[in-house]
Amino acid sequence: MNFILPLLNNLSVFARPAAFSIYFAAAAIPIGFVFAIFLALGKNSPNLLINRLSRGYIYFFRGSPFFIQLFAFYSLMLAFNISVWKPLGIDGFVLHPLFLGPAILGLNTTAYTAEIFYGALLTVPKGEIEAARAYGMTRRQRFWSVTWPHLIRLAWPAYTNEVVFLFQATALVYFTLPVIGDQRELMNMAEVMFQHDYNVFLHFGTAALYYLVISLVIFYLFGLIYQRLMRHMPQQARLRFSWRRVQRVS
């Protein structure tokens, strides 16, 4: 009972920081998803310039630690503050963590998502694309009617993992960006609470519990979407546990 009450109190205190962590991920996901499509197509493009630029972008963000990216882009934005942002009167918005955090997260997840989409793009059946071309479809029609349905079905399981990793990466946002008011995310709040009573298991455990529960919700919701994407496929028969089957195997 002595542990339950502090845990319940922590769960209520950490609810608002959990909402900020969800915001960072939810704001970055659409950015990464849309730009990743163009980046994957660019990496597959026969145009040498577009191909090299796309590959360079993906290599930079996948090859460097996310913490370094946060620090580097925040420092870069600060460097232009006096000369660019402040004269335009947008320094408070551009340097605000609620803008800068999702922006950097979006740049990072764009690279990882683009690599997932590119891998799925390479496995799209070439015969169906050739059949669509022979049928007289334009390049845009071939993409949205043939390439995209195959691509998204193949990429969705790996993309689900990327979304979960993106949500977990929000733990690093406020280790680099400034905290404004009470706009704290989960790990930042856990650190603040830890400095009061040094109860590492309670505070960081509560943050970990929130990350676990929200990750499970993400897996569940994206699993429903995947079932919708694969609704045309025959359902596999579910295996039922049986002691008789176990005895036969042994």
Side-chain angles (χ1 to χ4, degrees):
M1 192 66 179
N2 293 333
F3 177 75
I4 297 298
L5 291 178
L7 177 61
L8 294 176
N9 179 66
N10 258 29
L11 289 174
S12 63
V13 171
F14 278 65
R16 180 177 172 85
F20 278 105
S21 295
I22 295 173
Y23 161 76
F24 283 127
I29 288 171
I31 299 173
F33 187 88
V34 173
F35 283 101
I37 297 173
F38 294 100
L39 207 60
L41 294 176
K43 188 175 179 179
N44 195 51
S45 173
N47 186 296
L48 185 61
L49 178 61
I50 296 177
N51 186 285
R52 295 303 181 187
L53 289 175
S54 301
R55 290 177 180 271
Y57 181 97
I58 295 173
Y59 178 79
F60 172 79
F61 280 96
R62 295 182 70 234
S64 58
F66 178 62
F67 182 79
I68 301 300
Q69 296 170 21
L70 280 169
F71 183 78
F73 277 93
Y74 180 59
S75 301
L76 182 65
M77 300 299 280
L78 280 178
F80 288 98
N81 185 35
I82 297 178
S83 60
V84 179
W85 316 129
K86 192 174 288 293
L88 294 176
I90 59 174
D91 54 313
F93 171 75
V94 172
L95 298 177
H96 200 287
L98 294 184
F99 167 77
L100 202 55
I104 302 174
L105 282 166
L107 293 174
N108 179 270
T109 191
T110 295
Y112 284 92
T113 306
E115 190 67 17
I116 293 171
F117 286 172
Y118 174 71
L121 182 63
L122 295 180
T123 59
V124 174
K126 304 298 181 183
E128 295 190 15
I129 299 177
E130 292 297 329
R133 183 183 291 112
Y135 190 72
M137 288 185 175
T138 64
R139 179 176 297 181
R140 178 177 298 180
Q141 290 174 332
R142 291 198 302 269
F143 177 78
W144 290 114
S145 300
V146 180
T147 304
W148 176 251
H150 280 288
L151 185 153
I152 196 63
R153 293 189 191 104
L154 293 168
W156 197 257
Y159 179 65
T160 302
N161 292 333
E162 167 58 22
V163 171
V164 174
F165 292 150
L166 172 66
F167 170 69
Q168 295 171 352
T170 60
L172 297 175
V173 171
Y174 276 134
F175 279 94
T176 304
L177 304 183
V179 179
I180 297 180
D182 60 346
Q183 298 170 357
R184 304 180 183 276
E185 46 78 42
L186 283 169
M187 287 301 294
N188 189 266
M189 178 59 74
E191 182 183 15
V192 171
M193 297 290 288
F194 168 74
Q195 292 174 357
H196 285 85
D197 55 12
Y198 298 100
N199 194 335
V200 61
F201 295 104
L202 176 61
H203 304 309
F204 286 96
T206 304
L209 181 61
Y210 266 105
Y211 279 112
L212 176 62
V213 171
I214 297 173
S215 297
L216 290 175
V217 172
I218 293 174
F219 278 124
Y220 175 74
L221 294 178
F222 276 65
L224 294 179
I225 297 175
Y226 185 66
Q227 291 180 3
R228 177 69 178 173
L229 292 173
M230 302 296 292
R231 64 188 182 277
H232 63 290
M233 299 293 291
Q235 296 293 326
Q236 295 181 352
R238 297 181 180 180
L239 293 177
R240 295 182 179 180
F241 181 80
S242 171
W243 280 110
R244 184 175 300 176
R245 185 183 296 113
V246 173
Q247 292 171 357
R248 285 201 301 265
V249 173
S250 59

